[in-house]
Structure formats: structure tokens, C-alpha cells
Amino acid sequence: MQLTFRPADPLDEAFRARWNERIADKELSLDLRFLGLLADADPEVAYHFVQATDSAGQVRALACCSVAEMRVMRFVPLRVLVLGGTVAAGKAFWFDAEAVDFAAFLAGFEAYVKTAIRCDILVLKEFSPESDAGPMRSISDAGFIAHMCYDRSRLALPADGDMQDFLDSLPSKKRRNLRQVMAQGDAAGLKVEVHRNFNHLVDTAYALYLAVNARAAEARTPALPYRLFAALGRLDAARMLTISQGERTVGFGLLLHQRAKLKCLVIGMDYEVSRELQLWYQIVARSIEYAASNGCTSVDLGSTNHGMKRKFGAQHEDIWIAVRHRSRWFTRLLAPLIRHTLASTYRPAGKAAPATPDGR
């Protein structure tokens, strides 16, 4: 089936309904309001929404991508298109698998980009070998270079339960460790608060976030802009969980909460006391406690440190991205540089650089 891709207006009610049902409901950071904040926070990045119809005019696919300029070796400018954008996680696309396959979706999307969006590099994300075996074969056939970038950690909470029900669901060792962390926080006089409106906390939280981002070992990506933190204070789904000792904020977690889902976006810590207070564990534990207390059954704990998150009972899946120059010939020429860049940016701690699914 041949698809016709056209620009879509994210303010259009019919498009919003399809997007929310097919995409945003599965991934909170692909909510259209959140994507709008991303666009406003970084005006140098352009976001494009598209939808595809068949010959009868029925909508068969949706997608969002961002385009921004980067420089290779400091002086070669390249326009990079990312399916889903560089910040938002998850699959920022949907196609009607009963009517078309991923290869047809990808071919139609590439043809549209070639005529409608100026770019040099295409980046497709996110894919899991466990659930996306077919699409990953299509990506390889289309000349993309695939690379594992993250371990996505997710936690299931008991329905209609609370923190005690969650603790009871854990093996005894994990349950004991988590209780010890929370008891240590109580003994140290740590105060935990969850804020809906947190503009007054942005300056302090952003400094703590930069400290963590600067030490990142698994994903060497640029820091989120300060403007985004300030803007998130206006988003209904956004929460900021803070941990304070006396009058001093020593840690925080930036959360998205909608219905029965919670997503942990980023954290920040004061490294002067982080080890003494086990702040990383305190932030994660208290985020889970907030989720359990508010009827959540799913917690997305993010894309790094899965070995530590396993102590909370989190399950993981490998997440891959795929990169290609618009020209397949150029991709073959630049393949060593592309692989080196991906390996230096995305290398989960304690793991060697992963091979691509086709063994290259």
C-alpha cells in the first residue's frame, strides 16, 4: 500500500485525538503539550508533525520529527532530523500494522522528508529487538547504522495498591534494602515534598541537575535548557519531587504524571552529601512511593543505571537508534565516523560497545 505523507497541524482536534490514542498514551514525554514546551524552549530546533493517508484518504500513519543543526569536527555544519526529537523518549510514530508494514512507512516517510524537509542526517528512534525485530530488519535494509543507546527501565506497581503493597511484592532482599534506604532518610531528617507549581525551585534544581549531567557516563548528551525547566512548571502533568535537609534542597526528581503512569525525566543531587544520604536511591524510592500513593500502575524509571534500578524490581529492555546520511553512498563513506560517534555518546556503563543487529 502506498502512503501519502502531508504536514499535520498539532492543534487540529482530529490529529490530537489520533496522536493521544496512538502515541502519547504509551509515552508521556510524547504528549503534545510537552512537545510544545520543547519547541518553545529551544527555538533553534524545528518540530514537524506529519500524517499519512492511503488512496481512500484513511489515516494510516503519524509521526513527529525535529530538525536542528550540529557541527562535525567543529566546522562541518549538518542538519540532523530526529524522528521523535532529541529529548522526548519513546516511539514518536505510529503506523497501521494491519494495513502497511514498517518498510512501507519508512519508505513513505523518507520520500516525504526528501521533498519537504531539508536535512543531511536521519536519526530514527526508538526500537527494541524484543518487539521490533521486523522494523529493525527494514532499517538495516534501508542502509541505516543501528546502535544500542539505552537500557530502558520500567516498574509495574500493584493495581489499587500502596507503597506497602509494592514492598510486599518484592523479593525479601530487595524489600529489606529499600526499607533501609527509606529508614535512613527518615533518620537523617530528610523532608520529601512533591510540587505541582515549582517555578520558585527552578534555580536550585537546575544547578543540581547540571551537576548530575556533567558526570553522566552512559549518555553524553547536552544538558536540557534552563528554559525547559521553567516552562515545565506550567505543565499540568509535571511534578517536582524535592528532598531537603533542613532548609537545604539536596536532591530532586522531575516527574510526569498522567492517569496511572509516572515517568521520571531527570534528577539532580548535591554531591557533597549524595553518598552519605544515598540520595540517588532516596529520589527513586520516594518517586515510587508517590506513584504508589497516587494510583499509578506503571513507572518509567528512565534510560540509565539499570543495574541500580534492578534493585527496585525494575524490568528492562534494550533501546536502539538508527542513523543514516540522506545518501546511502555517503553513509557507507562516513560509517566509521558514525559508529565512533554513536559509541562515544551511548555506551551503557560496564558494557562494551554493542554490535549492530546485522553484525557490522
Side-chain angles (χ1 to χ4, degrees), residues 50-103:
V50 297
Q51 66 180 10
T53 55
D54 59 18
S55 57
Q58 186 170 347
V59 175
R60 297 294 188 181
L62 308 169
C64 168
C65 61
S66 72
V67 181
E69 185 175 291
M70 66 172 287
R71 290 187 176 271
V72 178
M73 295 181 289
R74 297 186 179 180
F75 61 89
V76 180
L78 294 174
R79 289 180 61 82
V80 181
L81 180 148
V82 182
L83 186 60
T86 55
V87 174
K91 291 181 172 66
F93 65 90
W94 163 82
F95 62 94
D96 186 349
E98 295 183 359
V100 297
D101 59 15
F102 181 81

Side-chain angles (χ1 to χ4, degrees), residues 167-180:
L167 291 171
D168 290 342
S169 72
L170 296 176
S172 59
K173 184 177 181 179
K174 290 184 171 69
R175 181 168 62 248
R176 182 171 61 254
N177 290 342
L178 187 49
R179 281 177 170 156
Q180 287 174 348

Side-chain angles (χ1 to χ4, degrees), residues 214-295:
R215 294 194 180 197
E218 296 183 41
R220 304 177 188 278
T221 50
L224 301 178
Y226 175 90
R227 301 188 289 275
L228 179 59
F229 274 65
L232 283 171
R234 305 192 303 268
L235 186 66
D236 289 342
R239 307 285 187 273
M240 182 176 286
L241 180 146
T242 58
I243 296 181
S244 305
Q245 190 173 42
E247 298 299 317
R248 178 185 177 190
T249 300
V250 294
F252 82 94
L254 193 55
L255 314 174
L256 291 179
H257 176 200
Q258 283 190 340
R259 297 176 295 278
K261 295 183 179 180
L262 186 81
K263 180 179 181 66
C264 301
L265 289 176
V266 296
I267 67 168
M269 296 184 296
D270 184 337
Y271 281 103
E272 289 186 10
V273 295
S274 62
R275 180 169 296 182
E276 170 192 346
L277 298 175
Q278 296 196 76
L279 282 179
W280 188 90
Y281 288 101
Q282 299 287 351
I283 294 167
V284 176
R286 297 303 182 176
S287 297
I288 295 171
E289 182 179 40
Y290 168 80
S293 300
N294 285 272

Side-chain angles (χ1 to χ4, degrees), residues 198-210:
F198 48 81
N199 286 342
H200 61 295
L201 300 168
V202 169
D203 287 347
T204 299
Y206 192 68
L208 296 176
Y209 160 70
L210 289 179

